Amino acid sequence: MKTVTLKDIAEQLNISVTTVSKALKNYPDVSKKTKLQVKELAKTLNYKPNTFAVNLRTKESKTIGLVIPVIVHHFFSNVIKGIISQAEKKGYLVIILQSNESYELEKKQIDLLLSQRVDGILISLANGTADFNHLNEIVNQGKPLVMFDKIAKIVNCSKVIIDDRKAAYTATQHLIDIGCKRIAHFRGALLPQNSIDRFLGYKRALLDNNLPYDPSLVYICECGDMSFEEGKKNAKQLLEDHDDVDGIFINTDLVAIGAMTEFQQMGVKIPEDISIVGFSNWFMSSVISPSLTTIDQPGFKMGKTAFKQLYKEIRKKKENRPIVYKEITLETGLVKRESTKQP
């Protein structure tokens, strides 16, 4: 079927294209009768606005890019929901790309989004990202950029984060408060800032409570795959290396659930033998047995907040107003469940 244009509507009603356009936009200088005629005919003919032409005229694509490490993940799926909930209200389409924790893929995706002339970009960095030239290029082109969760502190843009050190400190302090003396940490890969900060929070809590820091109790996720299998592997290795660990702070709930599964298969009782605290408050954390004590990470709110900040910067750019970068820190909280002893 032929695409219906403003000219088609104008010819059928014997009015100008300009009048049709104004009627569809509810301009006050068009009569109610004409507006009604135009809108009814547009509906009958299934007229759709030419968004490409509109975008050329307004110099807006009404799209934003979103680059995340993984899509099938409780935290990031909530972030996506939060972003889309706000984007739809403002008439924006979200192009979602998955870096799969790859720096090279992340670079290609940024190039793709810039070539598509998106109005702004939201990103949570891949574990493998150690160079930030591709991010600085976004800023250098005058394109609004907001980072969230996994960020680069040296990139000059707005960021939406949690206080990972404080949250990790809280998790470790809880283990100390319930009597744990030998506390291990299953951390993420070496590069991501949030992985570094959670490790530093864990270490600080030990030292503040006069407990020795033992690097052999820290298990690094070398492959960057914070998975169920990674938790099982680390748990098995921990049992081979140490027989006196009575508490573990684990970087992500999925890894924690993998570790709990391995411990239970090996006859280790939770929390009687080992108390465990996870991170993110994944929905499975409340339904497994025993349920998992964890840090609640507000993914949906982070997504909403990140889009709102990006939208503000997009509007300021269009209006040629100065953009002041912000670092927005969201609150977290400890959710106590059955995987840790009662104090």
Side-chain angles (χ1 to χ4, degrees):
M1 292 178 63
K2 176 177 173 284
T3 301
V4 178
T5 66
L6 293 177
K7 185 178 179 182
D8 296 326
I9 298 173
E11 287 178 349
Q12 288 200 35
L13 294 175
N14 198 26
I15 57 179
S16 70
V17 172
T18 300
T19 300
V20 173
S21 177
K22 286 185 173 183
L24 290 172
K25 295 175 182 176
N26 283 318
Y27 273 57
D29 58 343
V30 179
S31 69
K32 290 182 179 179
K33 180 182 177 181
T34 301
K35 286 179 183 178
L36 184 61
Q37 288 176 331
V38 169
K39 290 178 181 179
E40 285 183 348
L41 182 57
K43 185 176 181 181
T44 300
L45 297 177
N46 196 29
Y47 166 76
K48 302 292 183 186
N50 186 336
T51 55
F52 182 73
V54 172
N55 293 341
L56 283 177
R57 188 169 62 253
T58 61
K59 296 182 180 180
E60 288 183 294
S61 69
K62 298 300 285 186
T63 61
I64 63 162
L66 169 61
V67 182
I68 55 176
V70 287
I71 292 174
V72 186
H73 185 288
H74 171 69
F75 171 71
F76 285 115
S77 65
N78 278 340
V79 170
I80 292 170
K81 289 177 184 176
I83 291 169
I84 291 176
S85 73
Q86 298 304 302
E88 287 181 340
K89 292 178 181 178
K90 300 298 184 181
Y92 272 81
L93 176 70
V94 184
I95 301 174
I96 304 172
L97 300 173
Q98 175 176 292
S99 67
N100 202 28
E101 301 289 9
S102 165
Y103 164 64
E104 291 299 332
L105 183 54
E106 182 180 281
K107 283 200 302 179
K108 291 178 182 178
Q109 290 171 341
I110 293 300
D111 287 342
L112 173 64
L113 291 172
L114 290 174
S115 71
Q116 293 296 312
R117 300 184 184 279
V118 295
D119 294 337
I121 295 175
L122 298 167
I123 187 169
S124 181
L125 296 182
N127 283 343
T129 299
D131 183 274
F132 310 118
N133 286 335
H134 60 306
L135 302 174
N136 288 324
E137 180 61 23
I138 301 171
V139 179
N140 291 340
Q141 288 191 23
K143 193 79 66 176
L145 169 69
V146 174
M147 306 179 77
F148 64 91
D149 187 43
K150 292 195 285 185
I151 66 165
K153 290 184 176 179
I154 63 173
V155 176
N156 195 25
C157 68
S158 292
K159 303 171 181 76
V160 181
I161 57 173
I162 61 170
D163 189 334
D164 283 289
R165 291 195 196 191
K166 179 182 176 182
Y169 190 104
T170 297
T172 309
Q173 185 65 52
H174 173 60
L175 291 168
I176 295 169
D177 290 342
I178 62 175
C180 296
K181 301 296 184 183
R182 288 280 284 169
I183 301 171
H185 177 40
F186 293 179
R187 63 166 290 174
L190 290 173
L191 284 178
Q193 189 64 51
N194 62 356
S195 178
I196 295 169
D197 286 338
R198 290 175 198 178
F199 162 70
L200 292 174
Y202 153 81
K203 185 177 180 181
R204 174 48 55 192
L206 295 179
L207 298 178
D208 284 354
N209 286 273
N210 297 314
L211 293 177
Y213 163 65
D214 182 352
S216 73
L217 294 178
V218 178
Y219 291 77
I220 299 170
C221 180
E222 299 288 357
C223 61
D225 180 19
M226 298 301 292
S227 65
F228 178 86
E229 290 301 324
E230 185 73 19
K232 286 176 64 68
K233 185 188 78 173
N234 282 346
K236 185 176 182 180
Q237 189 63 51
L238 176 69
L239 292 177
E240 292 177 4
D241 296 342
H242 303 278
D243 60 4
D244 59 347
V245 168
D246 53 6
I248 315 175
F249 165 50
I250 302 181
N251 200 54
T252 302
D253 282 358
L254 185 56
V255 177
I257 292 171
M260 290 169 67
T261 301
E262 181 67 24
F263 286 140
Q264 289 173 321
Q265 290 174 350
M266 299 292 287
V268 177
K269 296 179 181 179
I270 304 168
E272 292 84 356
D273 299 328
I274 296 180
S275 288
I276 297 175
V277 179
F279 203 109
S280 79
N281 199 21
W282 183 32
F283 76 96
M284 282 296 293
S285 305
S286 63
V287 299
I288 59 170
S289 183
S291 55
L292 177 64
T293 295
T294 186
I295 295 292
D296 182 42
Q297 189 178 12
F300 186 80
K301 185 175 182 180
M302 183 171 284
K304 287 178 61 176
T305 305
F307 177 82
K308 286 180 177 180
Q309 181 60 32
L310 185 70
Y311 180 74
K312 287 178 184 176
E313 296 184 12
I314 290 171
R315 302 323 301 162
K316 286 183 178 180
K317 179 178 180 293
K318 186 178 181 182
E319 296 162 5
N320 292 317
R321 291 191 290 150
I323 296 173
V324 178
Y325 298 132
K326 291 184 177 181
E327 183 169 290
I328 303 168
T329 304
L330 305 180
E331 289 295 319
T332 58
L334 179 70
V335 181
K336 297 179 183 179
R337 297 196 180 105
E338 299 167 347
S339 66
T340 52
K341 298 174 185 176
Q342 295 297 314

